[in-house]
Amino acid sequence: MGNLPPSDHDAIILGAGAAGMMCAMTAGARGKRILLVDHADAPGKKILISGGGRCNFTNIHTTPDRYLSSNPHFAKSALGRYTPQDFIALVERHGIAWHEKTLGQLFCDGSARQIVDMLASECAAAGVTIALGNPVADIAHADGRFRVQISGREHSAPALVLATGGPSIPKMGATGFAYDVARRFGLGIVQPRPALVPFTLGAEDALFTELSGVSAPVEVRWNKVRFREAALFTHRGLSGPAMLQISSYWQHRTPISVNFLPDAPPNWLLAEKRARPRTPLRRVLAEHLPDRLGQVLLERIGTGGELATMSDKALRAAHARLSDWPFTPSGTEGYAKAEVTAGGISTAALSSQSMMAKAVPGLYAIGEAVDVTGWLGGYNFQWAWASGHAAGMAL
């Protein structure tokens, strides 16, 4: 077969996930000769498992302040130039039915495979060459060209795009490959960490493990960040949307605060005591919380009985504790259960317009590999589409 000539491709994109496919189809549609490479045997593997297999493909409330990054302004340019409405238009052009679930989250009516098939057909229409099941053996850079060794063959191009994501969900084949390549080219890395990940609780909270499977709407707070969604108790700790959201901000060995009564007014228990003094506190709580949860919380506080038997001070104290309950997680369930990776290739090294490395012309980084992490609920896909589109327009 021999080596292909040096004028092989205009760009080589590593990673056939959400960002990589968006970049490839965008550049290909502009007449660029694109080689899209992935070590997996099929494209979009993480897309297929997302949103319970229905792919929460964007969020209509996307704004830059719903992303974490060392530079909170970095994402503005790409997000502003490729919006959720742009992606919805693409989905509708392919006849894919979708619905809004809650909080602006858009899902396929059918399956996530429709999104992968859509991106693959756009890549095919744009003349993109896709090489699957091909791990990259080596990357070299000289004379303004990147040379990539794949399955014993060398491919070269004046541009190389890192779109291989972060190390979250290693069973899907995820690794820190993009960081290794970025470091080789002198790009900084913001310490990666698991994000959108369940918490583990230590022995002092062992009482809560008997609640495994119990869910309740709460407001969770860490420092000044708050999320109001469902929390779920697991046999290892705390999960559910509220906990996944706050986990992206949380720092080790710090407490989070949970308000189990986000809708209850401050003197609610005192009013209940006057209205129905003979009612047990547990039964009143059961109108706001799952019964088992209320029971465990009251056991922990060491209070209970009929409202009439409790002083106003004790009722105020119970309400204060239930609406500001501290948990200090022992850790998280790590990359194995993290939906995404926070941190990554430093935005200081990249142009927010094109996603190109300022010090290495022709080297680009997009998607989850970059230090931009969205909230739960379609925001990370929107960053993949927007950053992939920005690089695809710049190639």
Side-chain angles (χ1 to χ4, degrees), residues 37-335:
V37 181
D38 203 298
H39 64 106
D41 55 4
K45 284 204 157 177
K46 250 182 167 177
I47 300 175
L48 292 176
I49 62 161
S50 67
R54 289 207 168 176
C55 188
N56 178 190
F57 57 79
T58 190
N59 195 300
I60 56 174
H61 301 315
T62 296
T63 49
D65 62 1
R66 298 188 170 197
Y67 292 83
L68 292 79
S69 173
S70 298
N71 174 2
H73 302 292
F74 181 82
K76 286 179 179 173
S77 175
L79 291 171
R81 286 177 294 137
Y82 193 87
T83 66
Q85 285 65 36
D86 291 318
F87 194 78
I88 291 166
L90 176 64
V91 165
E92 291 187 336
R93 211 159 57 240
H94 282 259
I96 298 171
W98 57 271
H99 59 279
E100 181 181 346
K101 212 166 170 185
T102 53
L103 304 171
Q105 303 170 17
L106 304 192
F107 288 79
C108 296
D109 286 1
S111 120
R113 180 157 297 285
Q114 294 174 287
I115 298 292
V116 176
D117 291 347
M118 172 188 82
L119 297 168
S121 73
E122 287 282 334
C123 284
V128 174
T129 304
I130 303 187
L132 298 169
N134 285 296
V136 172
D138 188 44
I139 297 171
H141 181 237
D143 311 321
R145 294 189 78 78
F146 295 88
R147 290 178 173 77
V148 181
Q149 288 280 349
I150 305 160
S151 301
R153 293 179 65 184
E154 183 180 90
H155 299 271
S156 89
L160 179 70
V161 183
L162 302 178
T164 55
S168 59
I169 323 187
K171 71 171 188 281
M172 301 295 296
T175 67
F177 176 81
Y179 309 150
D180 299 337
V181 178
R183 280 191 191 98
R184 271 184 50 191
F185 286 103
L187 275 56
I189 305 291
V190 174
Q191 181 63 46
R193 64 183 197 278
L196 299 181
V197 63
F199 290 117
T200 53
L201 291 173
E204 69 281 4
D205 286 313
L207 181 67
F208 290 96
T209 56
E210 69 190 59
L211 292 172
S212 183
V214 172
S215 172
V218 303
E219 182 181 80
V220 63
R221 179 174 60 79
W222 183 80
N223 287 356
K224 289 180 178 161
V225 184
R226 295 169 187 268
F227 288 100
R228 188 161 165 184
E229 284 194 64
L232 171 70
F233 289 89
T234 71
H235 63 290
R236 299 190 62 187
L238 296 166
S239 187
M243 297 302 160
L244 297 183
Q245 292 281 39
I246 210 79
S247 73
S248 298
Y249 293 84
W250 178 74
Q251 290 170 7
H252 274 278
R253 291 184 284 282
T254 61
I256 58 171
S257 163
V258 178
N259 181 355
F260 286 108
L261 302 167
D263 290 318
N267 287 321
W268 158 70
L269 285 176
L270 305 187
E272 292 287 350
K273 176 179 170 180
R274 304 206 207 324
R276 37 181 186 163
R278 305 250 64 88
T279 311
L281 176 56
R282 180 182 158 184
R283 192 174 311 152
V284 174
L285 263 193
E287 293 166 16
H288 289 258
L289 287 172
D291 191 29
R292 279 169 61 207
L293 173 57
Q295 196 179 340
V296 166
L297 293 172
L298 290 180
E299 270 174 46
R300 199 66 188 267
I301 296 174
T303 192
E306 292 182 359
L307 294 176
T309 65
M310 302 177 69
S311 70
D312 286 6
K313 185 181 175 187
L315 287 173
R316 277 198 196 94
H319 183 270
R321 183 78 196 275
L322 292 167
S323 53
D324 190 11
W325 193 286
F327 288 97
T328 300
S330 56
T332 72
E333 293 199 33
Y335 287 122

